[in-house]
Amino acid sequence: MNSNQLRHEFTHYFEGKGHLARPSISLVPQDPTLLFTSAGMVPMKAYFLGQEEPPCRRMVTIQKCFRTTDIDNVGRTPRHLTFLEMLGNFSVGDYFKEDAIVFAWEFLTRTLGLPPNRMWVTVFREDDEAERIWAEKIGVTRSRIVRLGEADNFWGPVGTTGVGPCGPCSEIHFDLGPELGAEARPGDESDRLMEVWNLVFMEFNKEADGRLVSLAQKNIDTGMGLERLATVTQGVNSIFLSDLFRPLTDAILELAKRAENIPAGQRELALRVIADHLRATAFLVADGVVPSNEGRGYVLRRVIRRAYRHGRRLGLKGPFLHRLLPEVQGCMGSAYPELAERGEYIRRIVQMEEQRFQATLEGGLETLESLLVDLMAKHRIHMPGEAAFRLYDTFGFPLELTEEIAAEAGLTVEREGFQREMNAQQERGRAAMKKVGMAASPYTALLEEKGKSVFTGYESTESSSTLLALFHLGREVSSLATGEEGEAFLAETPFYAEKGGQVGDQGKLLWEEGKAEVLDTQTPLEGIILHRLRVVEGTMNVGQVVNAQLDLARRLAIDRAHTATHLLHQALRELLGPQTAQAGSLVEPDRLRFDYNHFCGLEEREIRMLESRVNELIRLDQSVSTAEMGMEEAKRSGAIALFGEKYGEGVRVVQTGKSRELCGGTHAQRTGQLGFFSITQETGVGSNLRRIDALTGAGAVELAQGQRDILEQAALMIHTPSRLMLQKLSKLLQEKEEERKKMLALRDRYLRQLASSLVTRKREEPVRHLVARVDGLDIEAMTILSDSLLESLEKGLVVLGSIFEEKPLLLVRVSADLVSAGYHAGQLAKELGKVLEGSGGGRPEMGRAGGKPGAPIGAALEKARELVATDSRP
Ligand code: SER
């Protein structure tokens, strides 16, 4: 049965049992605790926990999964993968153990007709109930039922947080037959048994303290790798021989003609790694991951580079992975149309990463290999972590790649040393970024004592509040006098502290007989809003009531820029696809900067389209609304969250039109308030990282006005109305070119005449030569002149001197026969340069010298005559 039929049969079988078929979610999950969708149950988590209501209590999915837990085994066994399709049936508080087991058995043995005597099953050590069902209800002989511990038969929680739904599980293994080794039981290390299906009885939630708490409802989560199922139903003994891989591995071998000479074991390993990693790459990129140095991008980079390196082992030189993508599409495209839809995008990303790696690989490999030789000569078994870090830092070698290459030479890498260097580098980065006088330490006590500041600035622009604390040069003080600078902490404030790219507010704090100017607002510690200020009148005392007033005009301009950022984000996703991820932003009064992941720069046309689209959204004048909601609800509503950003349980969603983002910033009330939006530039700021700078509101209008001013002034200068400026300019340029040509013709005529009058002054002794002063000629004219002179002299030596734009210049030319006789223009020029208090030099045929303004050109020419006449060839 081919894999398309298997997908169909699986869904069909469970639909027949009342399950709702749901589509696969992206490999980049909405769940901020997970880097990747690593199991079929990821989209079910909230249902299992009872946080959300499922669309149906029984569901069936074929989920794209990516996990790196087994990456080191990929290629070394016939069954491990990073990317896989997981067939799963789920029950949310509906059926439990017995039905899950009955369904699984029936599907494998009846629907697919797999022989029961090739199966083994496992149950959790303490799970008598599961064992009883297998033995009594299904009729599996007890000798084929194996009890195993937590490591094998307790699944979850998913991810690395250690909290979430989990439970004991029961696995079904298939015996691939004696070709793959001696008789084996589940739990043995053997390639002969292939675990096919994992049935998880999700009845617990693991809490942060490690306790297992029973869930209100019992759930079922099963997962069966499609690749493994295809292997056993197609009667092959390795995943890589199934129809999901065969065309791909054939194509790799086809490319790697030299692979035949490589030992079979090594060839097989490389083939499998390339095949698996290439599938993973295609799907990750299709879901919006781009290679980078952190987070998901780093994992992807590792995977691509690993595959690339295995290609080299097959004798593949240079980028090749992108050429195999059509094969991945061929195997998987019918089930995953995104591969074709984003085909060109995926190809470019992969090719660019390969090229980037190719460039660094050669240098890095050389360094690494010589280091390894050195270490082996010294009989070392560890490679210092610092060396691995240098490779990472200089050549972009992922630690795992270095480890892998080192392992081939029998060495391990000292991870601690690597981590130490990495931490030190990050620390340096952090230290550089820390704001002076805004260190966190004195504020921790403040937070404990006084609690959090209340931010009132979403609704109001002014509020009265008690001054709870003052700081001066990082130390707590009780008052600040006129002229002093410091930081103030209020019980409540409308001032927005810099966060999420939005800059801090400015304004005034007023009290009876006193006033302070707020220069900036910062959050040195979550929950604390600090006003950095200068007292301009009176004395500020802790305990007094102050009236905090925002600089409203500035804040409104910030609001406009923030809303513009959301509109730009929306327009970018419309233009480039939903994989486009925001990578950072800066929101200032009427000015914004937006960083995003994309593999190449935008074309002029695309920039214009973006700008127009944002302006269109502005003209729609849609209202901007905000809502507080739970994280789950926000995710369901499709709000975009930034990965890596920490969000609490309660989040704020900012919505306008189709744009929905998790955002704590302040915004315009309607898009129309933005007025106008203008992109000033689009640049690259890192690998796959682009930046858009833009203006909105008054900033954009001022820019347009400034540009019009320039245009009008320019038009005035060339005496033409601005609308005719381009024609006029091109006419002027044309005229200028014509004049230049005329001028050059005139110059050349003059130079020829000059040559014929100068040539009469030639001397014949001791060799034919001519020394002349030709003030006003630049070096180019002197060269042309010397060409004519040499031509008329037929052979000889020419020295020309000129004062051009106040500076003395000398040119020396020597004809070929005099060069053979030992004359050297460059050396002569060098001598003469000394007379000019400057420098000189050049080739035997032509030398030049120059000097400071006022240097004696006459004396230099005199010296030239003397040197030639006395034939003291310099
Ligand atoms: N969650 C389990 C697994 O990933 C079963 O679906 O293996």
Side-chain angles (χ1 to χ4, degrees), residues 38-41 67 86 90 155 198-200 202 221-224:
S38 56
M41 55 74 70
R67 33 168 90 164
M86 198 179 275
F90 304 90
W155 199 92
N198 185 11
L199 317 176
V200 187
M202 288 267 180
D221 150 33
T222 87
M224 168 158 62

Side-chain angles (χ1 to χ4, degrees), residues 814-829:
V814 175
S815 63
D817 47 348
L818 290 192
V819 168
S820 325
Y823 284 88
H824 194 293
Q827 280 169 14
L828 185 55

Side-chain angles (χ1 to χ4, degrees), residues 629-700:
M629 56 182 85
M631 184 69 190
E632 292 304 326
E633 196 187 339
K635 279 191 306 195
R636 228 185 9 245
S637 79
I640 307 170
L642 287 188
F643 184 80
E645 192 82 355
K646 281 205 204 75
Y647 298 103
E649 230 341 275
V651 294
R652 185 165 179 268
V653 175
V654 175
Q655 180 186 352
T656 176
K658 290 208 183 91
S659 150
R660 273 164 196 269
E661 294 194 31
L662 261 58
C663 174
T666 65
H667 284 268
Q669 284 162 335
R670 306 189 67 86
T671 60
Q673 288 170 346
L674 276 53
F676 181 41
F677 174 84
S678 177
I679 293 178
T680 52
Q681 66 170 0
E682 199 270 353
T683 45
V685 286
S687 124
N688 289 323
L689 192 61
R690 311 286 314 173
R691 169 169 294 171
I692 288 177
D693 284 284
L695 296 170
T696 189

Side-chain angles (χ1 to χ4, degrees), residues 376-397:
M376 286 192 300
K378 291 181 187 148
H379 303 289
R380 297 277 160 77
I381 53 162
H382 298 304
M383 172 171 160
E386 298 76 31
F389 182 77
R390 273 201 307 280
L391 282 163
Y392 166 79
D393 209 28
T394 328
F395 299 105
F397 265 45

Side-chain angles (χ1 to χ4, degrees), residues 731-860:
K731 194 162 149 254
L732 283 176
L733 287 173
Q734 206 179 337
E735 280 170 18
K736 186 165 173 264
E737 182 56 24
E738 278 159 15
E739 271 163 24
R740 199 179 73 91
K741 279 189 196 143
K742 272 190 215 151
M743 201 275 288
L744 288 180
L746 274 175
R747 182 193 68 178
D748 290 352
R749 214 162 82 203
Y750 164 69
L751 289 175
R752 273 196 304 276
Q753 282 167 4
L754 185 59
S756 52
S757 75
L758 285 177
V759 84
T760 57
R761 293 201 231 153
K762 70 178 176 203
R763 304 262 170 94
E764 294 289 348
E765 293 303 327
V767 291
R768 187 176 296 168
H769 69 280
L770 175 68
V771 177
R773 183 162 172 171
V774 289
D775 283 356
L777 296 193
D778 63 6
I779 202 77
E780 191 189 336
M782 285 162 83
T783 312
I784 297 172
L785 178 62
S786 67
D787 283 343
S788 307
L789 286 170
L790 274 181
E791 211 180 290
S792 324
L793 292 176
E794 282 171 0
K795 61 171 197 167
L797 193 150
V798 174
V799 181
L800 297 176
S802 154
I803 303 283
F804 181 74
E805 291 178 348
E806 289 172 23
K807 281 196 200 138
L809 292 173
L810 274 175
L811 179 71
V812 184
R813 300 286 301 265
V814 175
S815 63
D817 47 348
L818 290 192
V819 168
S820 325
Y823 284 88
H824 194 293
Q827 280 169 14
L828 185 55
K830 191 172 168 193
E831 262 331 282
L832 301 176
K834 290 178 194 159
V835 185
L836 293 178
E837 291 166 59
S839 60
R843 289 173 289 121
E845 312 81 45
M846 169 138 70
R848 284 191 204 180
K852 296 200 183 71
I857 187 83

